[in-house]
Amino acid sequence: MLWQRFYEAIKNKKSFLISAHLGLEGDAVGSSVALSAFLRSLGKQTILLNDDPIPDNLLFLTANDTVLQSTDSLVHDAIAAAEACFVVDVSNWNHMGKTGKLIESSGKPIYCIDHHQCSEPIGDIAHIDPSACSAGILIYDLIRSYDSASVSKEIAQAVYTAIITDTGNFRFSNTNAAAFTICADLMNQGINHSAICNEVYENNPVSRFRLMHETLGTLKLSDDGRIVWVIITQDMLAKTHSTIKEAEGFVDMLRTIKGVELSILFRQLSPDTTKATFRSKEYIDVQQLASHFNGGGHKRAAGATIHAPVDKAVEQVLSTAKTMAR
Amino acid sequence: MLWQRFYEAIKNKKSFLISAHLGLEGDAVGSSVALSAFLRSLGKQTILLNDDPIPDNLLFLTANDTVLQSTDSLVHDAIAAAEACFVVDVSNWNHMGKTGKLIESSGKPIYCIDHHQCSEPIGDIAHIDPSACSAGILIYDLIRSYDSASVSKEIAQAVYTAIITDTGNFRFSNTNAAAFTICADLMNQGINHSAICNEVYENNPVSRFRLMHETLGTLKLSDDGRIVWVIITQDMLAKTHSTIKEAEGFVDMLRTIKGVELSILFRQLSPDTTKATFRSKEYIDVQQLASHFNGGGHKRAAGATIHAPVDKAVEQVLSTAKTMAR
């Protein structure tokens, strides 16, 4: 059975670290919490350990968990005390920052559960399934296969959060029948759907909308209407008291313009460097566009850092992009 | 069986009108198209008749349908030729404009399928189920109960559109297990989920974002951070070449600000009249707030027209709202 090796691996151990990738989001936190709640229900001790703090809009998930950051003074003791480490929603040490280095060099057994495409999975036992819409549904499968009575409301809520955040609330192309079937299950477990949506989506700082105002003021459309782009400068961040995190989703929002194939967000990193983030709708391979500037990503979502001031970077990128948007 | 009376009613008739409510949206159009495709598969003739044209982002649904508006010269012939009329996603003649009057006075048999709360349903046969997330899932049940083989890809696509638009893509509180179970079914019928999302959500005119920029420029937050409001004037619509339709969702977007309980969009209708649209998160009953200004709606979404210039309307509404936001 798929999860048998995991069950055997955890059977005689009492304490676990659970870590995910840099830039924690709903799937990373939801998967970690669901797994932690399951292990706790078996009488195990768990600690969530990551480089980054839990984002504000996901704090409601970790109410029952011990959470550490890799900079905490307690980290070395915590790692020493743990008998094994779970790595979820990531299968690459490079995407785990300092936490990855600490765990990798600890000599502890490592168990990895992920849904990202991966050439060489990390860990003593690994289950990687790129067809899964989120790591959360793999964790859910592990828990449910063990004993469907193990699925508590806490677990159901964490798995639901993992699914909605990683599918863009069922809008991304990874949305599939399995995602919907599991969500029907989770609703039947009595999760409070509205409360979860409130926590996850209705926690935006007002500075996000001030930054959105400034950003939309820079909106330009190519003559043929197929490319839209906006710019965020350091001044705009300062003026609106926001960080670039608050621009999350802006570039996706602009792709929704009728006729637009490619949306680009240019962000001034320094006077001489610019980050370009690309989204495409149907036919432009933005991974190719990004690789032209030594960047990377996927077909419909990619990015690159360009060693040029914003205005020059816009020129260079548009000139390349226009040849692809025909 | 729930739908038996409907099956008997349509058995010996050959031609049907299908109408929905004013301001067509995804559930109205999706329900109409799904029903029409089903009736056509039984060898019947159908015409979709409404006051309003099919919105651009839903035109992909009606490719196989005959669509009329109540102002078309052919309307009287079409009504005369039809043997019966279906009324979907609405159960109140007042919400159907001229189309409602034409059908009501036609003397034809009327069959109504709706999910809105309703005290006195219209029609010779009516099935009203307010627990359904959309009228589309009722139509789906009617079709599937008749013969599950009747669910074509065209029908599945229309029902999926009905569900996602009426649940705010699974974010509104009417989202339930049944919605997810049916969506899993529809995905298994082979609908193209990404193509549907593209059509429904990625068809925004660029003027929507120019209007968003102008609107966010007016954003104000009350001292305690619980009320946020914005203003749209006639000048702003003119300057951005947009209609108020393009402001759809702005007020919902602003409710997502952390700490905000009430979001308000003030819209200048004329120099002396202002429309206020209200959304609340958890505890303010905006229906009550609206009724204070002779408006109406639901607990979390309501509106009112105020006979005052924008700046006076803002003053009046905020003074009332502040007493409720404690």
Side-chain angles (χ1 to χ4, degrees), chain B residues 147-316:
Chain B
D147 175 6
S148 63
S150 302
V151 179
S152 62
K153 216 179 264 192
E154 183 186 11
I155 289 173
Q157 164 175 282
V159 172
Y160 189 76
T161 303
I163 295 173
I164 63 175
T165 50
D166 247 31
T167 59
N169 213 67
F170 310 102
R171 277 174 65 164
F172 298 161
S173 55
N174 62 346
T175 304
N176 54 22
F180 285 126
T181 302
I182 290 174
C183 285
D185 255 27
L186 300 174
M187 293 293 271
N188 285 329
Q189 309 276 350
I191 58 167
N192 188 337
H193 166 269
S194 291
I196 296 172
C197 286
N198 267 1
E199 294 283 353
V200 173
Y201 297 120
E202 313 231 334
N203 259 315
N204 286 310
V206 67
S207 52
R208 172 174 168 85
F209 295 98
R210 303 206 196 281
L211 182 63
M212 194 184 286
H213 167 67
E214 296 288 331
T215 307
L216 290 173
T218 70
L219 188 154
K220 295 250 171 59
L221 204 59
S222 61
D223 289 341
D224 63 5
R226 294 191 200 174
I227 309 178
V228 63
W229 68 98
V230 290
I231 294 170
I232 295 182
T233 63
Q234 295 285 345
D235 282 351
M236 286 160 61
L237 293 174
K239 182 180 170 187
T240 57
H241 305 287
S242 50
T243 65
I244 195 66
K245 229 186 88 186
E246 286 152 40
E248 208 185 301
F250 285 11
V251 67
D252 304 284
M253 182 175 86
L254 293 171
R255 195 188 56 182
T256 71
I257 295 172
K258 191 173 176 165
V260 157
E261 168 59 21
L262 171 66
S263 64
I264 313 175
L265 172 73
F266 291 99
R267 177 196 162 199
Q268 182 188 48
L269 294 178
S270 77
D272 291 323
T273 35
T274 304
K275 171 107 194 262
T277 307
F278 308 113
R279 295 288 183 275
S280 70
K281 207 180 263 173
E282 280 175 28
Y283 59 90
I284 292 188
D285 183 340
V286 290
Q287 181 171 26
Q288 226 173 65
L289 176 59
S291 73
H292 189 89
F293 297 94
N294 296 315
H298 308 275
K299 264 187 168 184
R300 299 282 165 261
T305 300
I306 294 149
H307 298 280
V310 164
D311 52 341
K312 295 283 173 213
V314 171
E315 268 177 37
Q316 289 172 25

